[in-house]
Amino acid sequence: MTNPEDLAVFDAAHKGTLAERMGIEFVEASAERVVARMPVEGNTQPYGLLHGGASVVLAETLGSVGAAIHAGPERIAVGIEINATHHRSATSGHVTGVATRLHGGRTLASYEVKVTDEQGRLVCTSRITCILRDQ
């Protein structure tokens, strides 16, 4: 489990960013696994369904945070590839994203991200690869 003070650092680092505007809240964060939740309300398309792009924003945020932790404080992680499969819609409540590291090397880090609804049903599966480089 991640220290609550560390989670506050992640939330503060995302002030004024897209992640903050989307309402993403970090729950757990390490190089191996990052968990966050996001409200469906405010992140929908015109039919009232969670926008697929919102799921991708959540996935990219989680994978990038995991890769940045893996890279360490002297380096940065920059997303170079992401894909997503949308399995079902969500219309209310929150969705939760869980990013699990697939590969953590010296120059690349890849994560699988599963986004689920409040009933634990799979909404989206995504994979993100980040390049790790000096600042």
Side-chain angles (χ1 to χ4, degrees), residues 67-108:
I69 295 169
H70 171 75
E74 303 81 31
R75 304 176 76 205
I76 62 171
V78 178
I80 59 171
E81 190 275 336
I82 190 164
N83 64 51
T85 300
H86 305 290
H87 305 288
R88 70 170 51 243
S89 60
T91 57
S92 63
H94 285 78
V95 292
T96 299
V98 178
T100 305
R101 186 171 62 191
L102 299 173
H103 170 76
R106 289 183 305 124
T107 58
L108 291 177

mmCIF file of all heavy atoms in Angstrom, residues 67-108:
data_model
loop_
_atom_site.group_PDB
_atom_site.id
_atom_site.type_symbol
_atom_site.label_atom_id
_atom_site.label_comp_id
_atom_site.label_asym_id
_atom_site.label_seq_id
_atom_site.Cartn_x
_atom_site.Cartn_y
_atom_site.Cartn_z
ATOM 1 N N ALA A 67 5.691 4.393 -14.899
ATOM 2 C CA ALA A 67 6.963 4.476 -15.615
ATOM 3 C C ALA A 67 7.873 5.537 -15.006
ATOM 4 O O ALA A 67 9.092 5.341 -14.914
ATOM 5 C CB ALA A 67 6.716 4.759 -17.092
ATOM 6 N N ALA A 68 7.289 6.649 -14.571
ATOM 7 C CA ALA A 68 8.087 7.705 -13.947
ATOM 8 C C ALA A 68 8.689 7.229 -12.625
ATOM 9 O O ALA A 68 9.845 7.528 -12.313
ATOM 10 C CB ALA A 68 7.236 8.954 -13.729
ATOM 11 N N ILE A 69 7.916 6.486 -11.849
ATOM 12 C CA ILE A 69 8.448 5.931 -10.600
ATOM 13 C C ILE A 69 9.568 4.952 -10.921
ATOM 14 O O ILE A 69 10.632 4.973 -10.291
ATOM 15 C CB ILE A 69 7.335 5.252 -9.774
ATOM 16 C CG1 ILE A 69 6.305 6.282 -9.324
ATOM 17 C CG2 ILE A 69 7.926 4.522 -8.570
ATOM 18 C CD1 ILE A 69 5.038 5.671 -8.737
ATOM 19 N N HIS A 70 9.357 4.103 -11.911
ATOM 20 C CA HIS A 70 10.384 3.142 -12.337
ATOM 21 C C HIS A 70 11.642 3.873 -12.796
ATOM 22 O O HIS A 70 12.760 3.464 -12.469
ATOM 23 C CB HIS A 70 9.840 2.254 -13.464
ATOM 24 C CG HIS A 70 10.874 1.397 -14.094
ATOM 25 N ND1 HIS A 70 11.376 0.274 -13.481
ATOM 26 C CD2 HIS A 70 11.523 1.517 -15.286
ATOM 27 C CE1 HIS A 70 12.300 -0.270 -14.279
ATOM 28 N NE2 HIS A 70 12.396 0.463 -15.366
ATOM 29 N N ALA A 71 11.484 4.967 -13.540
ATOM 30 C CA ALA A 71 12.626 5.706 -14.086
ATOM 31 C C ALA A 71 13.466 6.356 -12.997
ATOM 32 O O ALA A 71 14.682 6.497 -13.151
ATOM 33 C CB ALA A 71 12.135 6.774 -15.063
ATOM 34 N N GLY A 72 12.842 6.779 -11.914
ATOM 35 C CA GLY A 72 13.555 7.458 -10.837
ATOM 36 C C GLY A 72 13.529 8.964 -11.013
ATOM 37 O O GLY A 72 13.158 9.473 -12.077
ATOM 38 N N PRO A 73 13.954 9.697 -9.979
ATOM 39 C CA PRO A 73 13.805 11.157 -9.976
ATOM 40 C C PRO A 73 14.684 11.907 -10.983
ATOM 41 O O PRO A 73 14.393 13.044 -11.325
ATOM 42 C CB PRO A 73 14.166 11.557 -8.538
ATOM 43 C CG PRO A 73 14.990 10.431 -8.024
ATOM 44 C CD PRO A 73 14.504 9.194 -8.723
ATOM 45 N N GLU A 74 15.743 11.288 -11.484
ATOM 46 C CA GLU A 74 16.637 11.973 -12.419
ATOM 47 C C GLU A 74 16.180 11.859 -13.864
ATOM 48 O O GLU A 74 16.757 12.480 -14.748
ATOM 49 C CB GLU A 74 18.069 11.426 -12.322
ATOM 50 C CG GLU A 74 18.695 11.494 -10.941
ATOM 51 C CD GLU A 74 18.253 10.353 -10.032
ATOM 52 O OE1 GLU A 74 17.967 9.250 -10.539
ATOM 53 O OE2 GLU A 74 18.157 10.583 -8.821
ATOM 54 N N ARG A 75 15.157 11.030 -14.112
ATOM 55 C CA ARG A 75 14.715 10.781 -15.479
ATOM 56 C C ARG A 75 13.222 11.054 -15.604
ATOM 57 O O ARG A 75 12.527 11.157 -14.604
ATOM 58 C CB ARG A 75 15.035 9.333 -15.858
ATOM 59 C CG ARG A 75 16.532 9.051 -15.677
ATOM 60 C CD ARG A 75 16.886 7.623 -15.943
ATOM 61 N NE ARG A 75 16.884 7.425 -17.392
ATOM 62 C CZ ARG A 75 16.673 6.248 -17.982
ATOM 63 N NH1 ARG A 75 16.454 5.182 -17.260
ATOM 64 N NH2 ARG A 75 16.696 6.142 -19.280
ATOM 65 N N ILE A 76 12.747 11.141 -16.836
ATOM 66 C CA ILE A 76 11.324 11.333 -17.076
ATOM 67 C C ILE A 76 10.802 10.213 -17.974
ATOM 68 O O ILE A 76 11.572 9.568 -18.697
ATOM 69 C CB ILE A 76 11.007 12.711 -17.695
ATOM 70 C CG1 ILE A 76 11.676 12.872 -19.069
ATOM 71 C CG2 ILE A 76 11.421 13.832 -16.761
ATOM 72 C CD1 ILE A 76 11.221 14.114 -19.815
ATOM 73 N N ALA A 77 9.510 10.003 -17.911
ATOM 74 C CA ALA A 77 8.836 8.997 -18.739
ATOM 75 C C ALA A 77 7.908 9.737 -19.701
ATOM 76 O O ALA A 77 7.124 10.590 -19.287
ATOM 77 C CB ALA A 77 8.035 8.041 -17.862
ATOM 78 N N VAL A 78 8.015 9.377 -20.978
ATOM 79 C CA VAL A 78 7.184 10.004 -22.006
ATOM 80 C C VAL A 78 6.489 8.895 -22.788
ATOM 81 O O VAL A 78 7.149 7.996 -23.321
ATOM 82 C CB VAL A 78 8.035 10.872 -22.962
ATOM 83 C CG1 VAL A 78 7.174 11.474 -24.057
ATOM 84 C CG2 VAL A 78 8.777 11.961 -22.186
ATOM 85 N N GLY A 79 5.168 8.965 -22.846
ATOM 86 C CA GLY A 79 4.405 7.954 -23.570
ATOM 87 C C GLY A 79 4.724 7.984 -25.060
ATOM 88 O O GLY A 79 4.766 9.057 -25.671
ATOM 89 N N ILE A 80 4.966 6.810 -25.642
ATOM 90 C CA ILE A 80 5.236 6.731 -27.079
ATOM 91 C C ILE A 80 4.224 5.863 -27.825
ATOM 92 O O ILE A 80 4.163 5.905 -29.058
ATOM 93 C CB ILE A 80 6.671 6.251 -27.379
ATOM 94 C CG1 ILE A 80 6.928 4.862 -26.782
ATOM 95 C CG2 ILE A 80 7.692 7.264 -26.889
ATOM 96 C CD1 ILE A 80 8.239 4.231 -27.217
ATOM 97 N N GLU A 81 3.424 5.088 -27.088
ATOM 98 C CA GLU A 81 2.412 4.247 -27.739
ATOM 99 C C GLU A 81 1.342 3.904 -26.720
ATOM 100 O O GLU A 81 1.642 3.642 -25.565
ATOM 101 C CB GLU A 81 3.043 2.955 -28.269
ATOM 102 C CG GLU A 81 2.146 2.118 -29.161
ATOM 103 C CD GLU A 81 1.215 1.160 -28.415
ATOM 104 O OE1 GLU A 81 1.510 0.780 -27.273
ATOM 105 O OE2 GLU A 81 0.167 0.799 -28.983
ATOM 106 N N ILE A 82 0.088 3.940 -27.166
ATOM 107 C CA ILE A 82 -1.019 3.496 -26.315
ATOM 108 C C ILE A 82 -2.104 2.907 -27.218
ATOM 109 O O ILE A 82 -2.300 3.365 -28.350
ATOM 110 C CB ILE A 82 -1.587 4.639 -25.433
ATOM 111 C CG1 ILE A 82 -2.561 4.074 -24.391
ATOM 112 C CG2 ILE A 82 -2.183 5.749 -26.262
ATOM 113 C CD1 ILE A 82 -2.872 5.016 -23.253
ATOM 114 N N ASN A 83 -2.751 1.875 -26.732
ATOM 115 C CA ASN A 83 -3.920 1.335 -27.432
ATOM 116 C C ASN A 83 -4.968 0.992 -26.391
ATOM 117 O O ASN A 83 -4.665 0.895 -25.202
ATOM 118 C CB ASN A 83 -3.549 0.119 -28.297
ATOM 119 C CG ASN A 83 -3.066 -1.040 -27.467
ATOM 120 O OD1 ASN A 83 -3.710 -1.454 -26.511
ATOM 121 N ND2 ASN A 83 -1.927 -1.598 -27.817
ATOM 122 N N ALA A 84 -6.197 0.841 -26.856
ATOM 123 C CA ALA A 84 -7.285 0.554 -25.922
ATOM 124 C C ALA A 84 -8.386 -0.239 -26.620
ATOM 125 O O ALA A 84 -8.683 0.005 -27.786
ATOM 126 C CB ALA A 84 -7.867 1.851 -25.363
ATOM 127 N N THR A 85 -8.952 -1.154 -25.873
ATOM 128 C CA THR A 85 -10.149 -1.874 -26.302
ATOM 129 C C THR A 85 -11.243 -1.554 -25.301
ATOM 130 O O THR A 85 -11.051 -1.730 -24.091
ATOM 131 C CB THR A 85 -9.890 -3.394 -26.338
ATOM 132 O OG1 THR A 85 -8.823 -3.660 -27.250
ATOM 133 C CG2 THR A 85 -11.137 -4.141 -26.778
ATOM 134 N N HIS A 86 -12.368 -1.080 -25.796
ATOM 135 C CA HIS A 86 -13.505 -0.718 -24.944
ATOM 136 C C HIS A 86 -14.481 -1.888 -24.935
ATOM 137 O O HIS A 86 -15.003 -2.278 -25.974
ATOM 138 C CB HIS A 86 -14.155 0.566 -25.456
ATOM 139 C CG HIS A 86 -13.180 1.694 -25.581
ATOM 140 N ND1 HIS A 86 -12.633 2.308 -24.479
ATOM 141 C CD2 HIS A 86 -12.614 2.271 -26.662
ATOM 142 C CE1 HIS A 86 -11.788 3.242 -24.885
ATOM 143 N NE2 HIS A 86 -11.754 3.233 -26.207
ATOM 144 N N HIS A 87 -14.688 -2.465 -23.763
ATOM 145 C CA HIS A 87 -15.484 -3.679 -23.633
ATOM 146 C C HIS A 87 -16.953 -3.419 -23.315
ATOM 147 O O HIS A 87 -17.821 -4.157 -23.768
ATOM 148 C CB HIS A 87 -14.901 -4.577 -22.527
ATOM 149 C CG HIS A 87 -13.463 -4.894 -22.745
ATOM 150 N ND1 HIS A 87 -13.026 -5.753 -23.724
ATOM 151 C CD2 HIS A 87 -12.346 -4.443 -22.114
ATOM 152 C CE1 HIS A 87 -11.704 -5.838 -23.678
ATOM 153 N NE2 HIS A 87 -11.270 -5.055 -22.708
ATOM 154 N N ARG A 88 -17.233 -2.422 -22.502
ATOM 155 C CA ARG A 88 -18.600 -2.109 -22.112
ATOM 156 C C ARG A 88 -18.647 -0.651 -21.697
ATOM 157 O O ARG A 88 -17.628 -0.024 -21.468
ATOM 158 C CB ARG A 88 -19.101 -3.003 -20.981
ATOM 159 C CG ARG A 88 -18.460 -2.740 -19.645
ATOM 160 C CD ARG A 88 -19.115 -3.448 -18.455
ATOM 161 N NE ARG A 88 -19.309 -4.854 -18.652
ATOM 162 C CZ ARG A 88 -20.514 -5.444 -18.688
ATOM 163 N NH1 ARG A 88 -21.613 -4.749 -18.519
ATOM 164 N NH2 ARG A 88 -20.617 -6.738 -18.883
ATOM 165 N N SER A 89 -19.852 -0.128 -21.568
ATOM 166 C CA SER A 89 -20.005 1.271 -21.177
ATOM 167 C C SER A 89 -20.180 1.389 -19.663
ATOM 168 O O SER A 89 -20.535 0.433 -18.991
ATOM 169 C CB SER A 89 -21.203 1.889 -21.894
ATOM 170 O OG SER A 89 -22.383 1.192 -21.552
ATOM 171 N N ALA A 90 -19.923 2.586 -19.181
ATOM 172 C CA ALA A 90 -20.221 2.949 -17.801
ATOM 173 C C ALA A 90 -21.043 4.228 -17.878
ATOM 174 O O ALA A 90 -20.759 5.105 -18.711
ATOM 175 C CB ALA A 90 -18.938 3.174 -17.004
ATOM 176 N N THR A 91 -22.077 4.349 -17.026
ATOM 177 C CA THR A 91 -22.965 5.507 -17.104
ATOM 178 C C THR A 91 -23.040 6.325 -15.819
ATOM 179 O O THR A 91 -23.602 7.419 -15.831
ATOM 180 C CB THR A 91 -24.395 5.052 -17.474
ATOM 181 O OG1 THR A 91 -24.849 4.100 -16.502
ATOM 182 C CG2 THR A 91 -24.426 4.431 -18.866
ATOM 183 N N SER A 92 -22.494 5.797 -14.730
ATOM 184 C CA SER A 92 -22.560 6.532 -13.464
ATOM 185 C C SER A 92 -21.465 6.041 -12.530
ATOM 186 O O SER A 92 -20.793 5.046 -12.803
ATOM 187 C CB SER A 92 -23.937 6.341 -12.804
ATOM 188 O OG SER A 92 -24.131 4.980 -12.471
ATOM 189 N N GLY A 93 -21.333 6.751 -11.429
ATOM 190 C CA GLY A 93 -20.357 6.353 -10.411
ATOM 191 C C GLY A 93 -18.935 6.658 -10.827
ATOM 192 O O GLY A 93 -18.660 7.667 -11.479
ATOM 193 N N HIS A 94 -18.033 5.783 -10.447
ATOM 194 C CA HIS A 94 -16.607 5.919 -10.749
ATOM 195 C C HIS A 94 -16.128 4.677 -11.478
ATOM 196 O O HIS A 94 -16.698 3.604 -11.334
ATOM 197 C CB HIS A 94 -15.793 6.058 -9.454
ATOM 198 C CG HIS A 94 -15.897 7.400 -8.820
ATOM 199 N ND1 HIS A 94 -16.992 7.777 -8.071
ATOM 200 C CD2 HIS A 94 -15.055 8.452 -8.815
ATOM 201 C CE1 HIS A 94 -16.813 9.010 -7.641
ATOM 202 N NE2 HIS A 94 -15.648 9.451 -8.069
ATOM 203 N N VAL A 95 -15.065 4.858 -12.229
ATOM 204 C CA VAL A 95 -14.330 3.722 -12.773
ATOM 205 C C VAL A 95 -12.974 3.711 -12.081
ATOM 206 O O VAL A 95 -12.476 4.746 -11.623
ATOM 207 C CB VAL A 95 -14.167 3.783 -14.307
ATOM 208 C CG1 VAL A 95 -15.506 3.593 -14.996
ATOM 209 C CG2 VAL A 95 -13.499 5.074 -14.758
ATOM 210 N N THR A 96 -12.398 2.530 -11.988
ATOM 211 C CA THR A 96 -11.082 2.369 -11.358
ATOM 212 C C THR A 96 -10.131 1.782 -12.377
ATOM 213 O O THR A 96 -10.464 0.817 -13.065
ATOM 214 C CB THR A 96 -11.178 1.433 -10.137
ATOM 215 O OG1 THR A 96 -12.071 2.025 -9.186
ATOM 216 C CG2 THR A 96 -9.823 1.234 -9.484
ATOM 217 N N GLY A 97 -8.955 2.371 -12.466
ATOM 218 C CA GLY A 97 -7.916 1.865 -13.354
ATOM 219 C C GLY A 97 -6.795 1.244 -12.542
ATOM 220 O O GLY A 97 -6.382 1.803 -11.516
ATOM 221 N N VAL A 98 -6.329 0.091 -12.985
ATOM 222 C CA VAL A 98 -5.202 -0.588 -12.354
ATOM 223 C C VAL A 98 -4.154 -0.832 -13.432
ATOM 224 O O VAL A 98 -4.401 -1.572 -14.390
ATOM 225 C CB VAL A 98 -5.614 -1.923 -11.705
ATOM 226 C CG1 VAL A 98 -4.400 -2.626 -11.102
ATOM 227 C CG2 VAL A 98 -6.691 -1.704 -10.652
ATOM 228 N N ALA A 99 -3.006 -0.194 -13.279
ATOM 229 C CA ALA A 99 -1.895 -0.366 -14.214
ATOM 230 C C ALA A 99 -0.901 -1.346 -13.603
ATOM 231 O O ALA A 99 -0.453 -1.156 -12.470
ATOM 232 C CB ALA A 99 -1.202 0.967 -14.486
ATOM 233 N N THR A 100 -0.560 -2.375 -14.360
ATOM 234 C CA THR A 100 0.393 -3.390 -13.917
ATOM 235 C C THR A 100 1.576 -3.389 -14.883
ATOM 236 O O THR A 100 1.377 -3.480 -16.101
ATOM 237 C CB THR A 100 -0.264 -4.777 -13.890
ATOM 238 O OG1 THR A 100 -1.432 -4.713 -13.076
ATOM 239 C CG2 THR A 100 0.684 -5.826 -13.337
ATOM 240 N N ARG A 101 2.780 -3.296 -14.332
ATOM 241 C CA ARG A 101 3.968 -3.246 -15.191
ATOM 242 C C ARG A 101 4.164 -4.575 -15.911
ATOM 243 O O ARG A 101 4.138 -5.641 -15.300
ATOM 244 C CB ARG A 101 5.213 -2.899 -14.372
ATOM 245 C CG ARG A 101 6.451 -2.696 -15.245
ATOM 246 C CD ARG A 101 7.621 -2.159 -14.472
ATOM 247 N NE ARG A 101 8.018 -3.116 -13.441
ATOM 248 C CZ ARG A 101 8.873 -2.847 -12.478
ATOM 249 N NH1 ARG A 101 9.419 -1.641 -12.388
ATOM 250 N NH2 ARG A 101 9.178 -3.750 -11.585
ATOM 251 N N LEU A 102 4.352 -4.495 -17.216
ATOM 252 C CA LEU A 102 4.671 -5.655 -18.038
ATOM 253 C C LEU A 102 6.173 -5.757 -18.271
ATOM 254 O O LEU A 102 6.724 -6.849 -18.334
ATOM 255 C CB LEU A 102 3.967 -5.558 -19.396
ATOM 256 C CG LEU A 102 2.446 -5.509 -19.367
ATOM 257 C CD1 LEU A 102 1.909 -5.229 -20.765
ATOM 258 C CD2 LEU A 102 1.888 -6.806 -18.814
ATOM 259 N N HIS A 103 6.827 -4.596 -18.438
ATOM 260 C CA HIS A 103 8.269 -4.553 -18.692
ATOM 261 C C HIS A 103 8.820 -3.272 -18.092
ATOM 262 O O HIS A 103 8.243 -2.205 -18.272
ATOM 263 C CB HIS A 103 8.559 -4.571 -20.200
ATOM 264 C CG HIS A 103 9.985 -4.304 -20.535
ATOM 265 N ND1 HIS A 103 10.965 -5.254 -20.370
ATOM 266 C CD2 HIS A 103 10.605 -3.196 -20.997
ATOM 267 C CE1 HIS A 103 12.133 -4.734 -20.733
ATOM 268 N NE2 HIS A 103 11.936 -3.491 -21.113
ATOM 269 N N GLY A 104 9.917 -3.367 -17.393
ATOM 270 C CA GLY A 104 10.602 -2.199 -16.850
ATOM 271 C C GLY A 104 12.082 -2.296 -17.146
ATOM 272 O O GLY A 104 12.812 -2.962 -16.419
ATOM 273 N N GLY A 105 12.503 -1.678 -18.229
ATOM 274 C CA GLY A 105 13.904 -1.717 -18.625
ATOM 275 C C GLY A 105 14.597 -0.388 -18.396
ATOM 276 O O GLY A 105 14.080 0.494 -17.706
ATOM 277 N N ARG A 106 15.779 -0.261 -19.002
ATOM 278 C CA ARG A 106 16.533 0.992 -18.852
ATOM 279 C C ARG A 106 15.970 2.106 -19.726
ATOM 280 O O ARG A 106 16.050 3.270 -19.369
ATOM 281 C CB ARG A 106 18.008 0.782 -19.203
ATOM 282 C CG ARG A 106 18.750 -0.043 -18.163
ATOM 283 C CD ARG A 106 20.236 -0.183 -18.483
ATOM 284 N NE ARG A 106 20.443 -0.721 -19.825
ATOM 285 C CZ ARG A 106 21.167 -0.121 -20.767
ATOM 286 N NH1 ARG A 106 21.771 1.007 -20.527
ATOM 287 N NH2 ARG A 106 21.300 -0.675 -21.955
ATOM 288 N N THR A 107 15.392 1.752 -20.880
ATOM 289 C CA THR A 107 14.921 2.781 -21.806
ATOM 290 C C THR A 107 13.422 2.736 -22.073
ATOM 291 O O THR A 107 12.869 3.715 -22.578
ATOM 292 C CB THR A 107 15.660 2.690 -23.151
ATOM 293 O OG1 THR A 107 15.469 1.383 -23.703
ATOM 294 C CG2 THR A 107 17.151 2.952 -22.974
ATOM 295 N N LEU A 108 12.768 1.625 -21.764
ATOM 296 C CA LEU A 108 11.323 1.504 -21.992
ATOM 297 C C LEU A 108 10.644 0.881 -20.781
ATOM 298 O O LEU A 108 11.226 0.042 -20.097
ATOM 299 C CB LEU A 108 11.021 0.614 -23.198
ATOM 300 C CG LEU A 108 11.387 1.118 -24.583
ATOM 301 C CD1 LEU A 108 11.076 0.053 -25.621
ATOM 302 C CD2 LEU A 108 10.645 2.399 -24.914
#
